[in-house]
Amino acid sequence: MTHLQAGLSPETIEKARLELNENPDILHQDIQQVRDMIITRPDIGFLRTDDAFILRFLRARKFHQADAFRLLAQYFQYRQLNLDMFKNFKADDPGIKRALIDGFPGVLENRDHYGRKILLLFAANWDQSRNSFTDILRAILLSLEVLIEDPELQINGFLLIIDWSNFSFKQASKLTPSILRLAIEGLQDSFPARFGGVHFVNQPWYIHALYTLIKPFLKDKTRKRIFLHGNNLNSLHQLIHPEFLPSEFGGTLPPYDMGTWARTLLGPDYSDENDYTHTSYNAMHVKHTSSNLERECSPKPMKRSQSVVEAGTLKHEEKGENENTQPLLALD
């Protein structure tokens, strides 16, 4: 086993071999072949090219070297084309900090039965006078930068649940094609994460309409992995077991505390009533994995910690009532 696989469980190493074509005997050769392609794109500044960094792109593209290099190039090109988004790209940036405090994104502490990390977005919590969509996207990308440092998550991947309960038409009107495309390019085309599913729950009719706007920007694989569940808990639980979900989604866990992930990134002295000056994390200089951070940061009571969704909002439906549960979108 190469040092690049150190810390991985035997089960995860075997999963990487079977599902991602990861071979420890030629791992360094695979990485070097991707690195050798960098010379073909002199227009892009590749700011990081170490073995561990390139490996996450190989894992995200199942060790297809050309695809991994394309993703690596798009990762840095996206940052070059959107310089303002990545200026002061750390947790104590005022815009990112506000988004994190308001629960964008939520990150569940435990992983699902496949070892995937579950991210939550409660759409109605978007206070448009407080957070721009761009800052919410920055907070999501920063969070993924932290989480992807964990090699287990590079292999097992992520799930995203978006709850549209109480998301108004006025809020939806701010989701223009241009900013939706910015998000799709940042997450689908330019980030080395494996998304096993994107799940919409309690979506109103106008979210279906928004889907028609973003569909041209989605890859076929992307369309296959986004599911519209409506208020059907049964279909959600068939894909994510209730024991891994908070009560808002009919799970057995307590209601999600919106401050959990913000406390992890902002530090143990987190308080949602303060204007922070404390810097505890810079995404470009990660020293610890997110699991270590979570253990070091103890939760504290918050006033802005409750989801707008109360337990039991979703309901079970009988068979034949789940026409909205067909997979419509996906990220790979």
Side-chain angles (χ1 to χ4, degrees), residues 35-55:
R35 188 182 287 116
D36 289 343
M37 297 179 193
I38 290 175
I39 196 173
T40 67
R41 293 298 305 271
D43 56 312
I44 296 176
F46 292 86
L47 301 181
R48 184 178 171 187
T49 60
D50 57 274
D51 287 359
F53 188 72
I54 291 177
L55 177 57

Side-chain angles (χ1 to χ4, degrees), residues 166-279:
N166 303 315
F167 188 71
S168 69
F169 185 86
K170 181 178 180 181
Q171 287 174 302
S173 69
K174 303 297 184 182
L175 297 175
T176 63
S178 60
I179 63 174
L180 289 172
R181 183 171 184 174
L182 183 69
I184 292 167
E185 289 175 348
L187 295 169
Q188 172 187 255
D189 302 326
S190 309
F191 197 84
R194 305 184 67 217
F195 282 88
V198 179
H199 300 269
F200 288 12
V201 298
N202 291 322
Q203 71 279 0
W205 65 267
Y206 37 86
I207 296 303
H208 287 267
L210 278 175
Y211 166 66
T212 65
L213 295 178
I214 67 173
K215 187 175 181 179
F217 307 129
L218 297 172
K219 297 176 180 177
D220 287 341
K221 287 183 178 179
T222 302
R223 297 189 190 109
K224 293 176 182 176
R225 291 201 190 136
I226 295 184
F227 299 83
L228 302 189
H229 297 281
N231 58 6
N232 185 358
L233 277 178
N234 289 329
S235 65
L236 179 66
H237 293 169
Q238 286 171 10
L239 300 172
I240 309 175
H241 297 171
E243 57 264 34
F244 303 109
L245 294 171
S247 60
E248 292 94 329
F249 303 104
T252 60
L253 299 178
Y256 183 69
D257 178 350
M258 290 296 175
T260 299
W261 183 241
R263 284 191 293 267
T264 299
L265 295 191
L266 291 168
D269 58 344
Y270 167 78
S271 169
D272 67 330
E273 296 177 345
N274 292 339
D275 185 14
Y276 296 95
T277 57
H278 171 70
T279 303

Side-chain angles (χ1 to χ4, degrees), residues 87-98 135 138:
K87 191 179 297 181
N88 197 36
F89 189 55
K90 52 189 179 181
D92 70 343
D93 172 83
I96 293 176
K97 182 166 51 181
R98 284 192 301 269
D135 282 336
R138 294 171 72 217

Side-chain angles (χ1 to χ4, degrees), residues 68-136:
F69 173 71
R70 189 176 301 110
L71 180 61
L72 177 67
Q74 289 170 335
Y75 174 90
F76 285 114
Q77 187 175 44
Y78 181 79
R79 281 148 180 76
Q80 284 182 195
L81 294 174
N82 301 284
L83 289 174
D84 288 344
M85 281 183 59
F86 297 95
K87 191 179 297 181
N88 197 36
F89 189 55
K90 52 189 179 181
D92 70 343
D93 172 83
I96 293 176
K97 182 166 51 181
R98 284 192 301 269
L100 290 170
I101 289 170
D102 287 358
F104 295 106
V107 180
L108 295 184
E109 181 178 355
N110 297 322
R111 305 171 188 186
D112 81 339
H113 54 296
Y114 291 118
R116 299 173 296 190
K117 201 72 168 173
I118 301 175
L119 279 64
L120 308 175
L121 294 176
F122 293 94
N125 283 7
W126 180 20
D127 180 348
Q128 295 170 351
S129 66
R130 176 177 165 87
N131 295 309
S132 70
F133 182 88
T134 301
D135 282 336
I136 289 175

